[in-house]
Amino acid sequence: MLNELFTPSVQHALDIVGIFVFAISGALLAVRKNFDVFGIAVLAEVTALGGGLFRDIVIGAVPPAAFTDLGYFTTPLLAAVLVFFLHPHVERIQVGVNVFDAAGLGLFCVTGTVKAYDYGLGLTASAALGLATAVGGGVLRDVLANEVPSLLRWDRDLYAVPAIVGATTTVLCIRFGALNAFTSGTAVIAAFALRLLSMRYHWRAPRAYNRKSATAEESSATT
């Protein structure tokens, strides 16, 4: 089904672009954490390929694409080299990087969902793996950098929700036999646009209802 939506060359080109941008975000975090060149390369690789690697192992697509396509493996290394030497300049175009990151998020949540469905998973499981494809690398990046994953932090703009919207739209199209290049593109754009809007207006997921402030909780704990 995935080959029916995009030609192999187009799919490969889109994957490379998404991998490159995700790798940039991982390498930049490594620089901010004062990692050495090896740490920068590792974080770039993990961020770019972690989600797809997890998906392929779960669905049994082995060996994973990350290890059968040299372009997938070397692209994060190129991003790491770029950030290693030019990170002050890359930091200045962070807004542009974030836009491409949002585009990668939208693309991977859709293609990950379709690939999982192609391998025989149900609709719900396919959507879950589509989400994992899009956000899994970022979670691994934050864990290796000893940070609370951005996915779990209330003070970060919506990230998982746009991917959920894209993956859910995809499985609904599959369910009703309406998945084609146009509807899959619509799902990608929906996730992309929601991510951009969340960054522009700082939309965040709600916390627990009627939650007490952290200050009040700490005061009561010490008395």
Side-chain angles (χ1 to χ4, degrees):
M1 184 179 292
L2 194 56
N3 289 333
E4 296 174 3
L5 301 178
F6 308 104
T7 64
S9 59
V10 171
Q11 175 64 38
H12 188 266
L14 292 173
D15 282 347
I16 291 297
V17 172
I19 286 170
F20 181 79
V21 175
F22 280 177
I24 289 287
S25 70
L28 284 174
L29 178 60
V31 170
R32 295 186 192 114
K33 288 285 187 176
N34 203 31
F35 286 7
D36 63 14
V37 63
F38 181 73
I40 294 172
V42 168
L43 238 61
E45 290 280 358
V46 166
T47 307
L49 304 177
L53 185 64
F54 173 77
R55 177 204 61 216
D56 287 350
I57 291 174
V58 170
I59 64 179
V62 291
F67 295 105
T68 58
D69 189 314
L70 187 61
Y72 285 6
F73 190 78
T74 57
T75 297
L77 296 179
L78 292 176
V81 170
L82 177 67
V83 171
F84 181 79
F85 288 106
L86 301 175
H87 64 87
H89 304 287
V90 176
E91 290 276 12
R92 293 192 193 104
I93 59 170
Q94 185 64 52
V95 173
V97 172
N98 288 341
V99 171
F100 281 104
D101 181 86
L105 179 80
L107 174 68
F108 286 172
C109 72
V110 172
T111 57
T113 300
V114 175
K115 185 171 183 178
Y117 185 78
D118 282 345
Y119 274 78
L121 270 66
L123 295 177
T124 301
S126 296
L129 276 184
L131 171 64
T133 303
V135 305
V139 172
L140 292 173
R141 172 201 65 207
D142 292 343
V143 169
L144 289 177
N146 197 30
E147 289 197 348
V148 176
S150 298
L151 194 69
L152 306 179
R153 293 180 56 173
W154 72 270
D155 58 341
R156 297 297 173 90
D157 302 332
L158 294 178
Y159 196 80
V161 171
I164 292 171
V165 169
T168 301
T169 302
T170 303
V171 296
L172 288 175
C173 290
I174 294 173
R175 171 65 179 82
F176 294 105
L179 188 69
N180 52 47
F182 175 76
T183 56
S184 62
T186 300
V188 171
I189 292 171
F192 173 60
L194 183 55
R195 173 59 180 160
L196 288 184
L197 288 171
S198 71
M199 290 190 295
R200 173 66 179 81
Y201 297 105
H202 302 296
W203 292 344
R204 292 164 184 171
R207 291 187 286 172
Y209 176 71
N210 203 26
R211 177 183 178 276
K212 296 180 180 179
S213 70
T215 303
E217 289 175 354
E218 290 171 0
S219 298
S220 62
T222 55
T223 57

